[in-house]
Amino acid sequence: MALEFGPEERQRALEVAVRVARDAGATILSAFHGTYEAKGIMFKGSVDLVTQVDKDVEEFVFGALREAYPEHHFLGEESAAEAGAPAQLSQHPTWVVDPIDGTTNFVHKLPMSAVSIALVVNRQPVVGVVFNPMVDELFTATRGGGAFLNNKPIHVSECASIDQAVIATNVGYTRSDPGIEFMLENIRRILKANVRSLRMEGSSALELCSVAVGRLDAFYEFGIQAWDIAAATLIVKEAGGVVVDPETANKSENAAPSSHPDLDLTARRVLGANNALAVRLSGLFVLPEPGLIK
C-alpha cells in the first residue's frame, strides 16, 4: 500500500534537509580550500575518487537526519559503496544522500560540487535539496511546491530545438573500448543534430539544477546512480521540466509531460529538460548493452 507524505510533512522535511545541507556545506567549503593531501583521497576504481571528507559528511548527514526521522530508511553513496550492494528503494520513506556530488571537482578545487539530500517516498522524491557551498547556491523543491534557488522561484528554459540548446553530460568511469565507443556515439549523434554546445561539468546534481534554472537546456547521463540525481530530478520537475529514462520516454512529437513513465531512480539512466526538448533528444540516443556501464 502506498504511503502518504502530505504537504506539511514535506515542508518540515525540507526545513530539516536545508539545515543539514548548510551544516554539511560548511565542512565541505572548509575542506575545499585545503591541500590535496588533507582531503584524504582514496580510490573506488582506477579513476573514481572518494575522500575522507565524503565519508565524514555522509556520516554527519545521516546522523542529523536520523535524529529527526529515526524510523526512516537511508541510502548514501559511500555506505552503499562499502556494502557493495546496488541501490534499492522501497515504498518506505528513504533519505537518499550524496555527500559530495562532484568529488573529482572537489579534489581539484573546481567549485562545481554539492551535497545532495532527497527524501524519497514510494520510490519517488518528495523533497530535494542541492547545496553548492563554494558559490552559496541552494536549490530546493518539494513535490507540488515549486522549485527555488536561494528562495527565488526558478523555471526550465523554453528551448525546444537542439540547434539552439546547450546540453550537458558526463562520461562516468567506464574506460573499456565498448564503453568509450558507446559514450562517443551518443555525443556524435548530438553533434550531428547540430547542437549549439556541449558541456561536461562533473556534477550531475548541479547540472540538473542548471537545467532547472535555465542555464542549461538539457542534461543526460548513462551509468548514473540514485544518490546523484534523486534531489535534482525533483527540482527539475518542480521547475516545469521533465526527467525521463531515455529508454522508456514517450518519443511521440506531441507527447505530454504526464505521458512519460515515472523515472526509476535506480535504472541508471536520466534525461532532464523541458518536455519538447526531452522528446526530441530521447529519440536520438543509442542505449547501452546490459552490463556495459559501470
Side-chain angles (χ1 to χ4, degrees):
M1 181 178 177
L3 301 174
E4 296 298 327
F5 210 85
E8 291 185 3
E9 294 172 293
R10 295 196 290 268
Q11 183 59 36
R12 175 176 176 265
L14 175 67
E15 291 169 2
V16 170
V18 166
R19 172 177 54 80
V20 173
R22 285 201 175 276
D23 288 346
T27 298
I28 295 168
L29 180 60
S30 176
F32 176 78
H33 294 293
T35 65
Y36 190 91
E37 292 76 16
K39 291 171 181 172
I41 298 163
M42 295 161 270
F43 289 85
K44 292 188 284 188
S46 62
V47 293
D48 188 4
L49 301 176
V50 64
T51 72
Q52 188 59 46
V53 183
D54 290 81
K55 295 183 177 184
D56 291 346
V57 169
E58 181 170 299
E59 183 178 359
F60 163 76
V61 170
F62 278 176
L65 293 174
R66 280 193 178 100
E67 286 186 8
Y69 295 100
E71 73 281 9
H72 286 186
H73 293 177
F74 298 86
L75 174 65
E77 177 174 13
E78 306 316 326
S79 52
E82 290 178 1
Q88 293 183 336
L89 293 168
S90 69
Q91 292 183 335
H92 199 85
T94 302
W95 291 94
V96 181
V97 173
D98 192 338
I100 304 178
D101 185 60
T103 297
T104 300
N105 288 345
F106 170 73
V107 166
H108 289 270
K109 295 189 177 181
L110 295 168
M112 190 76 174
S113 304
V115 55
S116 174
I117 301 174
L119 177 60
V120 175
V121 181
N122 300 321
R123 301 184 182 88
Q124 293 298 309
V126 298
V127 173
V129 173
V130 176
F131 180 47
N132 180 350
M134 277 64 75
V135 297
D136 194 28
E137 289 194 336
L138 177 72
F139 294 89
T140 58
T142 57
R143 189 177 68 190
F148 301 86
L149 168 55
N150 292 343
N151 296 317
K152 295 181 180 179
I154 57 177
H155 202 277
V156 297
S157 82
E158 297 181 357
C159 175
S161 175
I162 295 173
D163 63 3
Q164 296 178 17
V166 177
I167 298 172
T169 188
N170 296 311
V171 294
Y173 305 110
T174 296
R175 296 295 183 266
S176 67
D177 286 343
I180 291 169
E181 290 304 314
F182 162 74
M183 295 292 183
L184 291 178
E185 175 59 20
N186 279 327
I187 291 172
R188 187 192 71 81
R189 289 180 176 216
I190 292 173
L191 292 173
K192 289 285 287 183
N194 201 32
V195 66
R196 174 169 288 174
S197 192
L198 282 174
R199 296 288 183 270
M200 293 185 189
E201 298 178 351
S203 168
S204 51
L206 287 174
E207 285 159 305
L208 281 167
C209 286
S210 288
V211 171
V213 77
R215 296 169 182 166
L216 294 171
D217 300 300
F219 170 78
Y220 77 91
E221 188 168 348
F222 294 88
I224 202 76
Q225 297 282 5
W227 44 78
D228 298 314
I229 62 171
T233 54
L234 177 65
I235 293 166
V236 170
K237 290 175 71 174
E238 290 297 325
V242 298
V243 283
V244 300
D245 181 337
E247 181 173 355
T248 61
N250 186 339
K251 299 174 178 63
S252 171
E253 185 68 22
N254 296 315
S258 60
S259 70
H260 303 290
D262 286 338
L263 178 70
D264 177 359
L265 292 172
T266 65
R268 308 197 64 199
R269 300 180 294 268
V270 69
L271 166 62
N274 65 59
N275 184 62
L277 190 58
V279 167
R280 288 175 173 81
L281 284 169
S282 61
L284 281 182
F285 294 118
V286 60
L287 300 173
E289 295 293 329
L292 179 63
I293 304 301
K294 297 180 179 179

